[in-house]
Amino acid sequence: MTFTELILQWRTEDDTRQFAVRIAHQLSTLTPEDSLFIELHGDLGAGKTTLVRHLLQTLGVMGRIKSPTYAIVESYDDIKNALYQPLNLWHFDFYRFNDPQEWEEAGFRDIFASKGIKLAEWPENAAAELPIADVAIKIVANMDESRVITVTAQTPVGHQVISKLQSFITPA
Ligand SMILES: Nc1ncnc2c1ncn2[C@@H]1O[C@H](COP(=O)(O)OP(=O)(O)OP(=O)(O)O)[C@@H](O)[C@H]1O
Ligand SMILES: [Mg+2]
């Protein structure tokens, strides 16, 4: 298994949005039987939720997209793939997660055992519980709107997603 790593630069938030659109197009090729776990690393304010918001908007989620900072997870069950089949999607933010017992009680184990897309901010805080992510995205903010992004494929499924992304992307 080779690890693929892409290093990119977003100059403005519009570049972030364009990247989110490309990821969303990859996600819309998944079927209801597929699973994909993407973890999002980066400091407070790096742009993790912003990326997820653009991604969910591209996937057709209407209305305000809440950051799951307090609830830890927001679930979306109205997303359709390119063939108009339903896809489950969960957006986690483990910033406030500190009780491994909650993993069972809040049903997170069941979610990670389910088919669908899981996106997670602050995966470091639940590292002992989480499976290996298919794709890890690390965002480093500069003083302005620009960001340096490292996208790493960590599984064969992640590798497929990244190889399809690659053809669209001009590296930093
Ligand atoms: N290129 C960019 N990409 C993403 N966000 C940007 C960019 N430039 C500026 N921003 C701004 O930076 C902020 C990023 O906040 P966001 O909530 O997405 O961060 P976060 O990584 O989710 O932080 P937290 O760890 O607190 O959840 C937003 O206000 C957004 O408008
Ligand atoms: Mg966030």
Side-chain angles (χ1 to χ4, degrees):
M1 168 71 210
T2 51
F3 282 65
T4 311
E5 195 170 84
L6 289 177
I7 299 178
L8 313 168
Q9 192 179 343
W10 301 333
R11 282 156 304 166
T12 63
E13 199 175 315
D14 194 57
D15 283 352
T16 305
R17 186 189 58 75
Q18 286 185 39
F19 178 80
V21 168
R22 282 164 192 156
I23 296 263
H25 287 161
Q26 289 308 313
L27 298 186
S28 66
T29 67
L30 298 176
T31 77
E33 293 307 303
D34 290 327
S35 288
L36 186 75
F37 171 30
I38 301 181
E39 57 184 20
L40 300 156
H41 298 267
D43 287 343
L44 290 169
K48 304 177 293 294
T49 303
T50 303
L51 175 65
V52 172
R53 282 202 176 109
H54 287 302
L55 206 157
L56 293 180
Q57 278 163 1
T58 308
L59 289 172
V61 175
M62 310 291 273
R64 205 175 93 80
I65 295 165
K66 284 193 271 180
S67 170
T69 312
Y70 292 94
I72 300 191
V73 66
E74 291 290 336
S75 63
Y76 296 87
D77 50 16
D78 53 350
I79 293 175
K80 302 281 195 291
N81 69 8
L83 296 174
Y84 222 66
Q85 298 166 315
L87 296 180
N88 289 317
L89 188 150
W90 292 271
H91 176 200
F92 290 88
D93 182 345
F94 290 113
Y95 189 68
R96 300 167 68 89
F97 179 81
N98 54 18
D99 177 5
Q101 222 183 322
E102 195 183 352
W103 189 259
E104 302 290 344
E105 289 167 2
F108 298 159
R109 182 182 299 285
D110 297 335
I111 294 175
F112 275 91
S114 305
K115 306 230 185 304
I117 301 159
K118 298 104 199 177
L119 308 172
E121 300 182 41
W122 293 103
E124 301 84 352
N125 292 357
E129 274 72 39
L130 285 170
I132 184 165
D134 298 296
V135 177
I137 299 178
K138 183 176 165 223
I139 308 172
V140 177
N142 297 319
M143 298 299 280
D144 54 10
E145 266 189 273
S146 71
R147 304 287 191 262
V148 177
I149 299 88
T150 311
V151 186
T152 312
Q154 305 187 141
T155 67
V157 171
H159 204 268
Q160 273 187 359
V161 172
I162 292 212
S163 59
K164 287 183 190 140
L165 270 184
Q166 234 162 348
S167 55
F168 291 106
I169 284 170
T170 323

